[in-house]
Amino acid sequence: MTLPPQAYRPETAILELGSGFYDPVEAADFPETKLRFRNDRAAAGIGLMALSDAEWVAHFGRFAPLEGSLTRPLALRYHGHQFRVYNPDIGDGRGFLFAQLRDDRGRLMDLGTKGSGQTPWSRFGDGRLTLKGGVREVLATEMLEGLGVETSRSFSLIETGEALERGDEPSPTRSAVLVRLSHGHIRIGTFQRLAYDRDEDGIRALTAYVLRHYYGEEAGDDAPVRLLDHVVRRGARLAASYMAAGFVHGVLNSDNINVTGESFDYGPWRFAPTWDPTFTAAYFDHAGLYAFGRQPEAIHWDAMQLAVSLRLVSEAEPLIAVIERFGEHYQPAVANAILWRLGLRPRDAESDRGLVQAVEKALRGDNASIDRFFFDAFGGGLPDSYGPAFDEVRAVLAGYEPRSERSHAYWQAGSPCSMLIDEVEAIWSTIDRHDDWSAFHAKIAAIRQMGAALSTD
């Protein structure tokens, strides 16, 4: 493996925590390994772009260790609330932490897997991932990255040649292993497990680890409060970015909330076609717990579970004070996220709040397409085709300065890049029926063009 030494910087930081936090495991031995997607853009940021396809498959399909990083995969231990019901019997059941390394911003990054085989936490699962599930996660993460959401990145997708039986889709179906590049895999549920076991030393050690490696701070007497403050701020920003993107994660359980505030673990996700607060992604979310409009509430609730866990090593009052500021962080965050998607510069808190209210009211009342509205309104203009329901939005937009003009080629396309469920199913259908990946790769190219246009100042 020939890599630029100044760019490839392996790490083993997770080993600082000790064996009580993870279980060494072996990857499944797959019948075949067909490389279907490699994220060279992400690989360039961690010094791995120079890998040949054969080397790529050896590392991310056969899981030969990356030089200088972990010598064995580690299945991480955690608990979590799943639809508000506490579950102490979960953990990395079909994935593991494969490697750690630094990115080009100096951040500690994890390469973690999905569908890499059984672990001690698999329970009755087979530890595998359907190829459709892998395709869907690549599409979700690419779209979210393009829309400015802090998300894990789908790093590699390799088809593995097994026929899987699944109750919620036609079976047997094709199998795959996915590798994610993420800014850490420590979850709120990781802290919950330690609190469940009354492990004060473990909570202190994990708090110090997170502060040191993800927030650049050292532990002290107020370490739990500072950690919670970071998570609340990042969680509020994540919830805000979901709303501006029109995204519904679907399963915002406490084991799916990363303490760095990075979105990850995509199962029954959806992009909402219209601003419908009751729109859900998971067919089994009968009560609408994680509906589009309830996602800020869900993430706030999960952050409260972290506060409960940290109560084992901290006084309650300062933790409560931090939790109660979630709304204070969310309001400016959602304004910034919507302004960014509109290509406008912020003004002042009151004006920005008024803009958000006007946009939400118009979209909700008119049943307009979210993607179409943001495409048409980028830069502050709104076509005459938008009727009286958008008069207030048009008036408010007139007071804002654009941060970007509509000069990028994306804006000349005439229609927005979207990722609604029908398109996802159509992309999968061409793969499933004809092994035709052209629509998949074309969609990724279109998403990246959109992201470039949105990011242009």
Side-chain angles (χ1 to χ4, degrees), residues 111-142:
L111 286 169
T113 65
K114 187 175 184 178
S116 50
Q118 292 179 312
T119 78
W121 309 104
S122 298
R123 293 177 289 173
F124 303 107
D126 62 11
R128 281 8 184 218
L129 171 69
T130 66
L131 180 61
K132 182 178 183 180
V135 166
R136 282 172 45 82
E137 180 144 342
V138 174
L139 293 173
T141 55
E142 287 285 330

Side-chain angles (χ1 to χ4, degrees), residues 358-359 362-363 366-368 373 382 386-395:
V359 167
L363 286 173
D366 192 73
N367 206 34
F373 166 76
L382 199 59
Y386 285 83
F390 285 86
D391 285 348
E392 183 182 357
V393 174
R394 188 176 283 106

